[in-house]
Amino acid sequence: MSDASDDSFPASKLDRGKIFAKTGLKVGANYAKYLADRVTKGKDDGTRKRDLNTRNAQELFREFTKLRGTALKLAQSMSMDTGVLPEEFMDVMAQAQYQVPPMNKALVQKRIRDGLGAYPAQLFDAFEAEALAAASIGQVHRARLDDGTPVVVKVQYPNVRETIASDLAMARSIIKRIVKSPNLDEYMDEVRARLNEETDYLNEAENIAFFAEQYASDAVVTPQPVRAYTAETVLTMTYVEGQHLDAFLADDPPQARRDHFGQRLWDFIHEQIASDHRTIHADAHPGNFLFRTDGRLGVIDFGCVKTFPQDFRDDMLRLWRARIADDSAAIEPLLYRLDILHEGMDAAARARLRDFFDRFGSLIVRPYRTDRFDFGAPTFHQELQARFREASELRETTGSPHFVFLNKVLVGIFNLMGQLGPVIDTRRSRTLLEGTVTAL
């Protein structure tokens, strides 16, 4: 995490709009210079284009760290390896997972006092003024309760909740020029709903308690909320120790260790999908998982949690079963039920989407076709990147708005598995899903 701190939190639509506009001008200037260099310096061997990508990504990240909130959530999405963005963007934007400038100490003290009614020294036996981590919506500090319990205190940046609507309005004005979709307003409403929940730390405390009750086990460790020291903008929870993915991989763990944690991740996600609650940890990026020396998987940050409607979850599982069975007759009506295909769509567009989703769906279910699957095999990851890239080139964006966060989970988990490269046993996950489908 950066040692720098920045207490400038532009809250008004005008101030934030100026930052967005300034960033656009800088990116445009970088691109204009690149085009000029192509004329004066001749053919590019790829070096200048990579430099352009890096400069633009750095400009975006620098300004997004000022905006925080919704803008940094976008940066986190940019860091996911989907094959759509150049790898220079992903390298720079990966900082959004771990390296955001924190608030200074005086502002942290004020935010805790405003939220809990007293300063940290009056509330905790010990409180570390230096942030343990800073992310898009808030930052966390280690502390200790009077009874000796180690905890972390998450402190929300000022004005984050108040800027969601204006940020999304600006984002929509850009997206609508790129994406053709009859459902764009519904997608934006879905994002707005989850962001409003994520900025309510009382809601996150409820999520933490739910996941602790449902999933804490010999395989998974979750925090527990400390409700006496939690408010809408300050959240206290028990401390979970472990390494983030980048530190874990830096130690060059043996394949058996990669397999072990890959299995933990895979099973954890499938338990949620098959659950009667249909409630999923919907922010599957590397900063939210910890790899522990005791072999358990640590799961943290429960702000972004999605509960899927019964009919949507059930239709998705029916589609999964139809894909496994290559049952084309069952697939067609399910694509309509999920609003991937819809009445009024012209024949060419319908054929194009059906072809894409048949190929994409067959790829997604491939791990379930065998008892063991090697996520370290480069061909699968390359094919996945190609499908994501192809999706970005489709003129039509279709599907239920519930796909917004299902896709986030899907991209996140496959990205994590691609980095870990584990060989996993898929029998338990397949049994969980098959059992749920049978019970429908």
Side-chain angles (χ1 to χ4, degrees):
M1 187 183 67
S2 171
D3 292 331
S5 64
D6 181 1
D7 300 326
S8 174
F9 297 90
S12 73
K13 181 178 179 179
L14 178 61
D15 288 342
R16 296 177 74 81
K18 287 178 180 177
I19 292 177
F20 275 114
K22 183 177 73 171
T23 306
L25 289 173
K26 288 183 178 179
V27 169
N30 288 340
Y31 190 66
K33 183 178 184 302
Y34 167 74
L35 293 177
D37 285 346
R38 287 178 59 181
V39 174
T40 59
K41 298 180 181 179
K43 186 176 180 180
D44 181 15
D45 63 0
T47 302
R48 294 200 299 272
K49 186 61 175 289
R50 288 191 294 271
D51 288 344
L52 169 70
N53 291 335
T54 298
R55 287 197 306 275
N56 282 342
Q58 288 171 343
E59 293 288 357
L60 287 170
F61 180 74
R62 186 179 300 114
E63 300 306 322
F64 284 176
T65 59
K66 296 177 184 176
L67 292 166
R68 292 178 169 84
T70 308
L72 265 184
K73 282 292 176 184
L74 176 61
Q76 288 178 349
S77 298
M78 285 180 172
S79 74
M80 289 184 170
D81 186 2
T82 63
V84 175
L85 289 170
E87 63 179 306
E88 294 84 14
F89 270 79
M90 292 179 288
D91 290 343
V92 172
M93 292 303 178
Q95 297 174 82
Q97 314 291 353
Y98 312 107
Q99 301 180 31
V100 180
M103 294 180 280
N104 73 25
K105 298 172 186 178
L107 185 55
V108 171
Q109 299 265 333
K110 181 180 183 301
R111 295 293 291 164
I112 292 176
R113 184 203 64 189
D114 290 346
L116 300 179
Y119 288 107
Q122 299 169 288
L123 299 168
F124 303 101
D125 182 56
F127 180 87
E128 293 185 5
E130 294 293 333
L132 175 66
S136 56
I137 289 175
Q139 64 189 52
V140 294
H141 295 255
R142 292 196 65 172
R144 186 174 62 245
L145 301 181
D146 288 340
D147 65 2
T149 302
V151 296
V152 293
V153 183
K154 183 153 73 167
V155 185
Q156 192 172 123
Y157 303 131
N159 305 318
V160 170
R161 193 177 186 89
E162 292 78 5
T163 61
I164 291 173
S166 60
D167 280 3
L168 288 179
M170 284 184 279
R172 187 190 183 285
S173 67
I174 298 170
I175 293 169
K176 70 179 181 181
R177 300 172 189 170
I178 303 168
V179 175
K180 178 185 177 183
S181 173
N183 300 334
L184 181 57
D185 286 338
E186 294 178 58
Y187 297 155
M188 299 303 291
D189 288 344
E190 175 73 359
V191 171
R192 182 182 297 107
R194 299 289 80 75
L195 284 171
N196 281 325
E197 291 175 356
E198 197 166 352
T199 53
D200 181 357
Y201 286 172
L202 291 170
N203 180 72
E204 184 171 354
E206 294 300 322
N207 291 340
I208 293 170
F210 170 82
F211 275 84
E213 180 182 356
Q214 296 295 319
Y215 300 106
S217 64
D218 292 339
V220 173
V221 179
T222 66
Q224 288 279 0
V226 182
R227 298 182 189 277
Y229 300 117
T230 293
E232 189 175 278
T233 57
V234 180
L235 170 62
T236 303
M237 70 196 96
T238 54
Y239 175 66
V240 177
E241 192 169 3
Q243 290 181 303
H244 286 296
L245 180 63
D246 58 345
F248 175 74
L249 294 177
D251 288 342
D252 193 22
Q255 186 63 44
R257 198 71 172 161
R258 293 169 179 261
D259 295 347
H260 172 84
F261 281 113
Q263 191 74 56
R264 292 276 194 257
L265 272 166
W266 188 255
D267 289 344
F268 174 65
I269 294 295
H270 284 79
E271 286 171 8
Q272 296 168 68
I273 294 171
S275 167
D276 290 340
H277 300 287
R278 309 179 312 281
T279 297
I280 295 180
H281 183 291
D283 203 1
H285 75 71
N288 289 340
F289 297 98
L290 298 171
F291 300 83
R292 294 167 50 92
T293 56
D294 66 2
R296 292 186 291 172
L297 175 71
V299 185
I300 57 176
D301 198 331
F302 295 87
C304 185
V305 168
K306 169 69 177 177
T307 298
F308 292 104
Q310 182 85 45
D311 58 349
F312 176 83
R313 194 283 305 268
D314 292 353
D315 281 342
M316 284 302 306
L317 290 181
R318 292 184 182 105
L319 182 60
W320 172 84
R321 179 173 61 183
R323 292 287 185 201
I324 293 286
D326 290 323
D327 186 349
S328 182
I331 289 170
E332 180 87 5
L334 286 166
L335 292 178
Y336 277 95
R337 284 172 61 90
L338 292 163
D339 203 30
I340 292 170
L341 302 179
H342 52 83
E343 300 297 337
M345 183 179 287
D346 67 69
R350 184 165 55 248
R352 184 166 55 250
L353 285 170
R354 176 64 195 266
D355 174 68
F356 170 77
F357 281 102
D358 282 348
R359 289 182 290 110
F360 181 67
S362 296
L363 180 62
I364 293 301
V365 301
R366 188 181 297 173
Y368 306 94
R369 294 186 182 278
T370 59
D371 289 346
R372 294 180 68 77
F373 188 80
D374 184 2
F375 277 97
T379 53
F380 179 75
H381 189 61
Q382 289 164 1
E383 288 183 63
L384 199 61
Q385 283 184 304
R387 295 292 81 75
F388 284 133
R389 188 177 299 111
E390 187 178 352
S392 74
E393 296 169 356
L394 290 172
R395 292 184 66 248
E396 304 86 0
T397 299
T398 63
S400 162
H402 300 298
F403 276 112
V404 171
F405 287 92
L406 178 62
N407 289 344
K408 187 173 184 179
V409 173
L410 184 69
V411 171
I413 191 63
F414 278 116
N415 180 41
L416 285 163
M417 300 301 277
Q419 292 182 66
L420 272 173
V423 178
I424 64 166
D425 187 328
T426 63
R427 288 175 294 183
R428 180 169 180 264
S429 60
R430 193 166 63 235
T431 299
L432 281 170
L433 298 188
E434 286 173 346
T436 306
V437 174
T438 301
L440 297 180

